[in-house]
Amino acid sequence: MLSQQSSHGKIDRSDLPDDCLFCRHPQPEYWFSKRSKHNNRPYPLFRCSNCGGAFVFPVPSEQELHEFYTSPQSALELSLRADDPLDQYKQAVQEEVEFPNSTVDAKRMAETLKSLAPGTRALDVGSGYGFFSRALLDAGFSVDAIELGEASRKIHARMTGFEPKAEPFDADFARRNSGSYDAILLSQVLEHLPMDADPIGSLHVLLRKNGVCAIAIPHFRSYLSMLQGKGDMFISPPEHLNYFTVKSLDEAFASRGFQAMKFETVSRFDYRKFKKRFGALSPVPSLALKGFLGVSSLMDKGMFINGYFRKL
């Protein structure tokens, strides 16, 4: 259930979190409430003074989140213009050709996982269109995948030759597949998962001894995030619920039985958006942003965090 706010914007004390959902530090502070473009509800956000992360609290119900992700409301499926599955697949491939994004990240992360994992059985959680599953296959992994979006599953099947299971990632899934995987990849997924359900604990259950988990998430407090403040483009509940810094991601995994192996930050921006907005003048803001994002990544303040964690 969502928190009820007074006309003065105050939060009911019963809806205050006792501890940070990431590092478990006591008494995170109320930050502000973000009204959702999806359902027009206000979602209160809290920040932790210890790890620097932020999160939505109270966490939306399992039913609310399931309804959201099984409807065509997620950003990934809303971007599909066609209705025919073959046309949707062609659109997804063409978008990647015009703006190489997922393929670049997928190849790098799959190769890093291959160098760290103790074996070759992998799980792709929230597998989307299948770019990451395909990269894992190319790296020599045997791959399972789960994905709730119907259109995404159909595209994934054309891209990889197999359709992901339409299963939620939760404790029940982890229990039924305990100790099954050497490697698990979650690209742009952990920010969506309700932390009160302990998804990192579920990752620990799913992995074999010394298994490795690879995480890609938006970087809360990247230079761009700090510049945008409360207008951070990744603060979009109920789609995004968790906003991780490197420290909060590290402590969230360390407190749940993992050792960090590697961190890096990267930046991606579709510069075609500038062309639509600025026309012939688009090279000017594009060049400025490329320089800014390049410096951000060099300073470990890029837009996205890639983290690799070994099960202890």
Side-chain angles (χ1 to χ4, degrees), residues 1-276:
M1 179 182 234
L2 295 177
S3 127
Q4 300 296 315
Q5 292 176 281
S6 74
S7 59
H8 301 291
K10 300 293 185 181
I11 301 295
D12 190 308
R13 288 188 177 276
S14 63
D15 287 331
L16 296 176
D18 294 325
D19 303 311
C20 173
L21 298 184
F22 308 148
C23 71
R24 297 171 175 165
H25 188 75
Q27 297 181 330
E29 299 177 351
Y30 172 69
W31 185 20
F32 77 108
S33 291
K34 179 67 176 280
R35 192 168 293 276
S36 170
K37 294 179 181 179
H38 165 62
N39 57 25
N40 203 38
R41 296 176 182 173
Y43 289 82
L45 276 74
F46 290 79
R47 283 194 301 190
C48 177
S49 60
N50 176 57
C51 70
F55 52 87
V56 170
F57 193 90
V59 178
S61 69
E62 181 178 334
Q63 179 181 353
E64 179 183 350
L65 294 175
H66 184 76
E67 289 174 354
F68 178 82
Y69 286 107
T70 53
S71 71
Q73 295 298 325
S74 67
L76 192 65
E77 299 209 347
L78 282 174
S79 67
L80 294 171
R81 296 183 297 273
D83 294 323
D84 179 75
L86 178 58
D87 290 338
Q88 290 178 337
Y89 167 75
K90 290 179 179 178
Q91 180 193 332
V93 171
Q94 184 59 34
E95 286 287 328
E96 189 65 24
V97 169
E98 294 178 8
F99 173 52
N101 180 21
S102 295
T103 49
V104 176
D105 291 338
K107 185 176 187 296
R108 183 187 66 254
M109 295 187 71
E111 289 177 351
T112 302
L113 262 181
K114 183 68 173 178
S115 71
L116 296 173
T120 59
R121 191 173 183 204
L123 174 67
D124 187 358
V125 177
S127 55
Y129 296 159
F131 291 110
F132 285 83
S133 289
R134 187 172 67 181
L136 288 169
L137 290 168
D138 290 345
F141 285 100
S142 170
V143 182
D144 293 334
I146 55 175
E147 168 60 49
L148 291 178
E150 182 179 3
S152 294
R153 292 197 304 275
K154 300 301 181 186
I155 294 171
H156 187 293
R158 289 184 179 274
M159 188 167 297
T160 65
F162 75 96
E163 184 168 329
K165 295 178 181 177
E167 289 194 58
F169 180 76
D170 55 21
D172 179 64
F173 176 85
R175 177 186 55 77
R176 288 184 285 107
N177 296 277
S178 176
S180 295
Y181 298 102
D182 301 295
I184 303 178
L185 190 151
L186 296 87
S187 177
Q188 314 306 322
V189 171
L190 189 58
E191 66 270 26
H192 300 256
L193 300 179
M195 289 298 292
D196 60 348
D198 194 17
I200 298 176
S202 292
L203 293 172
H204 197 276
V205 171
L206 284 162
L207 284 168
R208 294 169 177 163
K209 184 179 180 181
N210 295 321
V212 177
C213 181
I215 304 291
I217 52 171
H219 186 188
F220 182 62
R221 311 317 285 164
S222 68
Y223 282 152
L224 185 60
S225 171
M226 289 189 280
L227 187 65
Q228 292 179 320
K230 293 179 180 179
D232 187 328
M233 59 186 169
F234 294 117
I235 299 178
S236 56
E239 188 160 27
H240 289 184
L241 304 173
N242 311 308
Y243 312 100
F244 287 96
T245 63
V246 171
K247 182 178 180 181
S248 61
L249 185 65
D250 187 16
E251 295 201 10
F253 273 83
S255 65
R256 293 163 175 87
F258 286 89
Q259 177 186 6
M261 304 299 293
K262 180 180 179 179
F263 287 106
E264 60 184 333
T265 72
V266 298
S267 296
R268 295 276 184 271
F269 185 79
D270 186 351
Y271 294 97
R272 294 174 299 173
K273 295 178 181 179
F274 279 159
K275 189 172 183 179
K276 292 178 182 178

